[in-house]
């Protein structure tokens, strides 16, 4: 799809299959004219003669005059529409046959089937929203929790864009002062700003960008889920624990060692937070090539996780702990570690309480990290899971967001902000070292460029924009 091909008229089914009502969107210079060719109002004027923002009841007709369906048509005129172009929305019955018949009629009249995200793409190209707002549309559609909904809604309403606009104004002010210094460098008696004032402005800019960059860890966790790696020896009960947490048979469970050879991932919502559980291959010495690759991936996923569930068979806890401690503990630095003593149901509770058994097991684990949490449960019997779930929510510690909170969740935005942060750091260094204004100005312009990448001010190539919009749903 050519990113600049906005002068033709496009159509697409904008609703999911299976509903009672289906909607077809039409957008482009001939949207109203082409819709008029297949639509006959029950009474009154054709669409081309009607006022915008009105609903018209009528029939979709085949070329032979056969009624395909009774429909309502919404009318929007440029530039006051989602795409900024003339647009119609045809609401008909949700039958896939009816929807396809209407689409075929529109295409025969001269419409083109829209590509993924092409409506939002046109909205961006026609100035109805900036690029960060356009990307938020996809996030809003994909939101699965209150937090991800608020985050996407704030960005779509321009919260992030306003924050960047304030930054841009400060950068332009700083740049103008530097440029004036250069323009009047031969007039030593003129001083537009002393270096301390410039350094103060640069410091303010650096703090705002740093804060935005720092929110990415929260935003990414809210959007994609907090990554939780389930690791341990073979047959410790990792897959059983995953199935118990998800309450479904997601992973194969067997007494045979090495059953799980690849990474299995799934998500669930706990306390309003999405967790992404990653069941990994059991860690042991093996000569099996495929199993060895799985174990290597286990360590990779452990490194990427924020929370690590180390599952240990409680019946041989000390032995399993000693065998893997030197492989697992060094990789858990900076992460939340939960040691899950599984198969607690195999202990007799006649001679001691569950708390006493847990204390004995803790004492048997040498050099236990002080910040590690140790829990005892039975994944098979689904006993003790609530305590583990509560601990996961506590470790996640994600803030409650309002629709006014600006949180970065898009990797493209994060990378652009990181490059802008590097540029403003160079500006600060240049000011501190009394570098010439032209060198400092170059870094300022680079910082402005990277901020512009986020909202689309510096995006020019079809390839970059096409890559952004290709992941949208058709019809949006």
């Amino acid at each position: 799809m050519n990113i600049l091909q906005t002068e033709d008229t496009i159509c697409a089914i904008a609703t999911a299959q299976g509903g009672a009502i289906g909607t077809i969107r039409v957008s482009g210079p001939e949207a109203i004219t082409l819709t008029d060719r297949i639509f006959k109002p029950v009474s009154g004027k054709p669409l081309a003669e009607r006022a915008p923002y009105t609903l018209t009841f009528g029939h979709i007709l085949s070329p032979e005059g056969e009624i395909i369906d009774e429909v309502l048509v919404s009318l929007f005129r440029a530039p006051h529409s989602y795409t900024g172009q003339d647009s119609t929305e045809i609401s008909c019955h949700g039958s896939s046959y009816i929807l396809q018949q209407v689409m075929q009629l529109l295409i025969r009249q001269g419409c083109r089937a829209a590509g993924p995200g092409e409506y939002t793409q046109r909205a961006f190209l026609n100035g109805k929203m900036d690029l960060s707002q356009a990307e938020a549309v996809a996030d809003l559609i994909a939101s699965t929790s209150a937090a991800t909904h608020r985050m996407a809604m704030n960005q779509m309403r321009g919260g992030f864009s306003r924050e960047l606009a304030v930054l841009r104004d400060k950068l332009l002010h700083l740049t103008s002062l530097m440029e004036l210094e250069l323009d009047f460098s031969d007039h030593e008696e003129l001083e537009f700003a002393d270096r301390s004032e410039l350094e103060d402005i640069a410091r303010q800019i650096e703090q705002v960008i740093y804060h935005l960059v720092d929110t990415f860890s929260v935003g990414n966790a809210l959007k994609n889920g907090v990554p939780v790696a389930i690791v341990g020896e073979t047959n410790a009960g990792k897959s059983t624990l995953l199935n118990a947490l998800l309450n479904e048979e997601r992973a194969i469970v067997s007494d045979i060692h090495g059953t799980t050879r690849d990474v299995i991932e799934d998500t669930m919502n706990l306390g309003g937070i999405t967790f992404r559980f990653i069941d990994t291959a059991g860690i042991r010495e093996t000569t099996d090539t495929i199993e060895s690759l799985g174990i290597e991936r286990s360590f990779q996923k452990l490194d990427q996780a924020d929370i690590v569930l180390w599952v240990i068979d409680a019946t041989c806890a000390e032995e399993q702990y000693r065998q893997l401690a030197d492989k697992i503990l060094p990789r858990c630095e900076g992460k939340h570690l939960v040691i899950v003593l599984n198969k607690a149901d195999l202990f007799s509770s006649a001679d001691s309480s569950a708390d006493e058994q847990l204390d004995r097991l803790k004492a048997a684990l040498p050099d236990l990290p002080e910040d590690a949490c140790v829990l005892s449960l039975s994944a098979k019997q689904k006993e003790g899971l609530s305590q583990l779930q509560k601990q996961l929510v506590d470790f996640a510690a994600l803030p409650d967001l309002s629709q006014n909170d600006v949180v970065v969740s898009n990797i493209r935005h994060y990378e652009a902000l990181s490059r802008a942060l590097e540029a403003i750091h160079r500006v600060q260094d240049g000011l501190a070292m009394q570098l010439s204004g032209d060198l400092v100005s170059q870094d300022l312009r680079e910082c402005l460029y990277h901020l512009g990448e986020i909202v689309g001010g510096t995006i020019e190539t079809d390839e970059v924009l096409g890559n952004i919009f290709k992941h949208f749903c058709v019809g949006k």
Side-chain angles (χ1 to χ4, degrees), residues 134-209:
E135 289 170 298
V137 173
D139 289 342
L140 187 65
I141 293 170
S143 61
T144 56
S145 67
T148 53
H149 172 265
R150 291 192 193 104
M151 192 165 57
M153 183 60 74
N154 173 265
Q155 186 174 324
M156 196 176 77
R157 292 170 60 202
F160 187 29
S161 302
R162 287 190 294 272
E163 192 87 9
L164 293 176
V166 173
L167 262 180
R168 184 175 180 274
D169 288 343
K170 288 183 178 180
L171 276 166
L172 287 173
H173 177 60
L174 181 54
T175 304
S176 64
L177 292 175
M178 296 300 301
E179 297 291 348
L180 281 172
E181 264 193 17
L182 290 172
D183 290 343
F184 294 93
S185 58
D186 53 339
H187 297 273
E188 296 181 0
E189 71 279 4
L190 294 177
E191 185 179 75
F192 297 96
D194 59 30
R195 287 280 163 150
S196 62
E197 181 184 349
L198 297 175
E199 289 172 357
D200 183 57
I201 297 172
R203 190 180 308 111
Q204 294 174 27
I205 295 168
E206 185 266 346
Q207 288 173 351
V208 175
I209 298 177

Side-chain angles (χ1 to χ4, degrees), residues 275-296:
F275 290 88
R276 180 159 46 89
F277 292 102
I278 309 161
D279 181 23
T280 63
I283 302 170
R284 66 169 179 165
E285 296 296 330
T286 180
T287 58
D288 187 296
T289 304
I290 303 300
E291 188 178 354
S292 296
L293 289 173
I295 293 171
E296 184 179 335

Side-chain angles (χ1 to χ4, degrees), residues 1 114-119 121 469-476:
M1 177 182 63
E118 193 167 358
Y119 292 91
Q121 180 192 101
F469 287 104
K470 72 181 180 182
H471 300 295
F472 277 59
C473 5
V474 173
K476 197 63 181 178

Side-chain angles (χ1 to χ4, degrees), residues 288-461:
D288 187 296
T289 304
I290 303 300
E291 188 178 354
S292 296
L293 289 173
I295 293 171
E296 184 179 335
R297 290 185 182 180
S298 298
F299 287 118
Q300 291 173 357
K301 292 298 180 180
L302 193 159
D303 291 337
Q304 297 168 11
D306 291 341
I307 301 174
V308 177
L309 302 185
W310 180 4
V311 182
I312 294 176
D313 186 338
T315 61
C316 51
E318 183 177 358
E319 178 187 350
Q320 288 199 0
Y321 182 87
R322 289 182 182 278
Q323 286 178 346
L324 295 183
D326 60 336
K327 296 178 181 178
I328 291 178
L329 293 182
R331 296 174 181 266
C332 292
E333 292 184 11
K335 306 178 187 296
H336 294 294
L337 172 62
V338 182
I339 295 178
V340 179
L341 298 171
N342 190 27
K343 305 184 183 181
D345 55 305
L346 299 181
F347 283 98
S348 171
S349 58
D351 57 342
S352 61
S353 68
D355 288 340
E356 290 173 335
Q357 292 175 10
L358 181 59
D359 289 339
R360 283 205 310 271
L361 288 169
K362 283 184 181 179
L365 305 181
D367 303 320
L368 189 67
E370 291 183 6
D371 57 350
C373 172
V374 183
L375 299 176
S376 176
L377 56 79
S378 170
K380 184 177 181 180
Q381 302 298 328
K382 297 185 179 181
E383 296 173 355
L385 291 180
S386 59
Q387 187 180 1
L388 173 59
Q389 291 171 344
K390 181 180 182 302
Q391 189 63 62
L392 289 170
V393 172
D394 290 344
F395 275 158
L398 295 179
D400 292 328
L401 299 181
S402 71
Q403 286 191 357
N404 296 320
D405 291 324
V406 177
V407 177
V408 177
S409 62
N410 185 303
I411 185 65
R412 191 183 70 83
H413 300 170
Y414 171 74
E415 290 174 348
L417 284 167
S418 298
R419 290 191 290 267
L421 186 61
E422 292 172 2
I424 201 65
H425 282 159
R426 291 196 297 273
V427 170
Q428 291 177 297
D429 292 341
L431 292 172
M433 293 186 292
Q434 300 291 313
L435 293 181
S436 64
D438 56 341
L439 294 175
V440 177
S441 292
Q442 177 59 37
D443 289 323
L444 279 171
R445 285 191 289 271
E446 187 175 334
C447 187
L448 275 167
Y449 173 85
H450 292 310
L451 293 181
E453 284 184 307
I454 296 172
V455 295
T458 59
I459 300 269
E460 297 175 354
T461 68

